[in-house]
Amino acid sequence: MELKWDGHTHTRFCYHGSDASSEAYIDRAIELGFQRYTLSEHPPLPARWVEEESLYRELAMPREELADYIQYAKRMKRIYEGRIEITVGLELDHLPGRTDYTESLFADWQHELEDVVYSVHYLPGAGGAMRCVDFTPDYFREHLLSYYGTMDKLVEEYYDHVEAAIEWVSRLPVRSRIGHINLIEKFAAVLPEADQALIRRRQERLVPLLVRTGVGVDVNTAGMRVATCGKPYVPEWMIAACRQAGVPCIFGSDAHKPEHVGTGWDWFEQLGKSSR
Ligand SMILES: [Zn+2]
Ligand SMILES: [Zn+2]
């Protein structure tokens, strides 16, 4: 039987989430019968990574807190030993033009890290400024869609970055998976329609890349909780294709508050049964 594992969760070190203690999240995971639980907080970002100061502060912890987070995660691991396996991780960002930053951050902590979710949250926009893919629909329209012109161009750009991200993270000596591979569809219901066949083609291209690199897939269910998306951040056909090809598919609730833990697990479990 498949390990019941929530492989993508956040903590009070996330400033766009909840300040609840990790005990509240992990007790919920135990209640739901999870056997493994990964703490995968957003790490600090380079100074002035996005131009809006208030947004920057929300996106990630300040650099000086990373050591505290790692200690906190290790403490959770000790406290829960024997009840649930806690793994210490990070949701590292693919930073176009600044992969050196992520590389040095990883080098500082690689001996503590058991799991890395590697995510594309940023794309270059006007003037080369970095823009969030998943902040709000208005922000997306104003800073990304207006710059790229069409959804299809944005889709191409986004998947170019996802491909580069898979290649990049595969070089790190740690268990890794690519985060929420269709985050670009987060606000789909309120944006111009993107060519679904194009999205499908770009996603299909990822499967052999994942096979070659050994990177897994974050089967991220957060999209089910977002009204403008309403579906998981990985399509079902892709999970089936990845499993067929031996690519690890790891469930991730992307919990930003305790009640998010494990959401969508029933869907994920059913999927496993029907593809077996
Ligand atoms: Zn987050
Ligand atoms: Zn993410």
Side-chain angles (χ1 to χ4, degrees):
M1 225 190 82
E2 192 156 6
L3 187 72
K4 191 164 179 179
W5 175 11
D6 194 335
H8 184 159
T9 72
H10 294 274
T11 69
R12 64 177 172 77
F13 290 85
C14 166
Y15 294 100
H16 53 267
S18 147
D19 58 8
S21 72
S22 282
E23 281 97 332
Y25 290 76
I26 298 167
D27 289 345
R28 176 81 186 129
I30 291 173
E31 208 177 286
L32 294 170
F34 280 89
Q35 298 157 293
R36 185 188 285 164
Y37 184 94
T38 300
L39 297 161
S40 54
E41 195 48 86
H42 302 284
L45 289 165
R48 293 177 299 283
W49 178 248
V50 295
E51 63 187 16
E52 304 88 346
E53 178 66 30
S54 57
L55 176 59
Y56 177 78
R57 277 198 303 269
E58 244 183 63
L59 291 172
M61 68 179 90
R63 184 90 197 212
E64 61 274 16
E65 275 184 22
L66 183 53
D68 297 342
Y69 163 70
I70 300 283
Q71 288 317 313
Y72 183 75
K74 287 170 72 176
R75 188 153 63 82
M76 290 303 140
K77 191 179 177 73
R78 282 196 304 276
I79 292 176
Y80 282 95
E81 207 190 327
R83 284 187 285 164
I84 186 170
E85 183 195 354
I86 305 295
T87 74
V88 178
L90 283 171
E91 181 181 9
L92 290 180
D93 294 291
H94 184 63
L95 302 177
R98 286 307 311 272
T99 48
D100 63 309
Y101 177 90
T102 308
E103 183 136 30
S104 80
L105 192 144
F106 178 78
D108 287 348
W109 297 103
Q110 66 171 305
H111 300 296
E112 315 286 353
L113 293 174
E114 297 165 274
D115 277 288
V116 164
V117 178
Y118 196 58
S119 297
V120 176
H121 294 121
Y122 306 100
L123 291 178
M130 285 304 147
R131 301 300 184 180
C132 281
V133 171
D134 60 340
F135 181 46
T136 65
D138 283 343
Y139 182 95
F140 189 101
R141 264 187 229 105
E142 185 180 338
H143 295 295
L144 289 167
L145 189 53
S146 68
Y147 177 64
Y148 287 93
T150 67
M151 280 305 295
D152 291 353
K153 283 202 185 113
L154 249 170
V155 164
E156 295 275 23
E157 178 78 13
Y158 172 75
Y159 282 103
D160 287 349
H161 285 264
V162 171
E163 287 179 1
I166 294 168
E167 292 279 5
W168 196 86
V169 75
S170 71
R171 300 166 27 241
L172 300 184
V174 65
R175 179 168 60 196
S176 66
R177 43 199 174 272
I178 186 79
H180 39 61
I181 60 105
N182 58 355
L183 189 63
I184 195 79
E185 294 187 276
K186 179 169 180 179
F187 307 121
V190 291
L191 292 173
E193 209 177 328
D195 179 357
Q196 289 301 308
L198 170 66
I199 294 177
R200 170 96 184 207
R201 274 200 307 281
R202 294 304 308 249
Q203 292 171 343
E204 276 170 355
R205 268 168 56 173
L206 301 179
V207 181
L209 179 59
L210 291 164
V211 172
R212 176 166 62 75
T213 54
V215 173
V217 172
D218 167 42
V219 181
N220 190 304
T221 56
M224 295 167 119
R225 304 190 298 262
V226 177
T228 53
C229 184
K231 61 183 184 183
Y233 287 133
V234 184
E236 292 185 5
W237 68 261
M238 187 169 170
I239 299 166
C242 283
R243 282 185 162 147
Q244 193 92 52
V247 174
C249 291
I250 312 301
F251 170 84
S253 68
D254 204 349
H256 280 73
K257 37 173 117 163
E259 56 267 39
H260 290 163
V261 171
T263 53
W265 175 267
D266 293 348
W267 160 80
F268 181 69
E269 195 180 33
Q270 268 318 111
L271 208 63
K273 284 182 186 134
S274 52
S275 71
R276 239 168 247 152

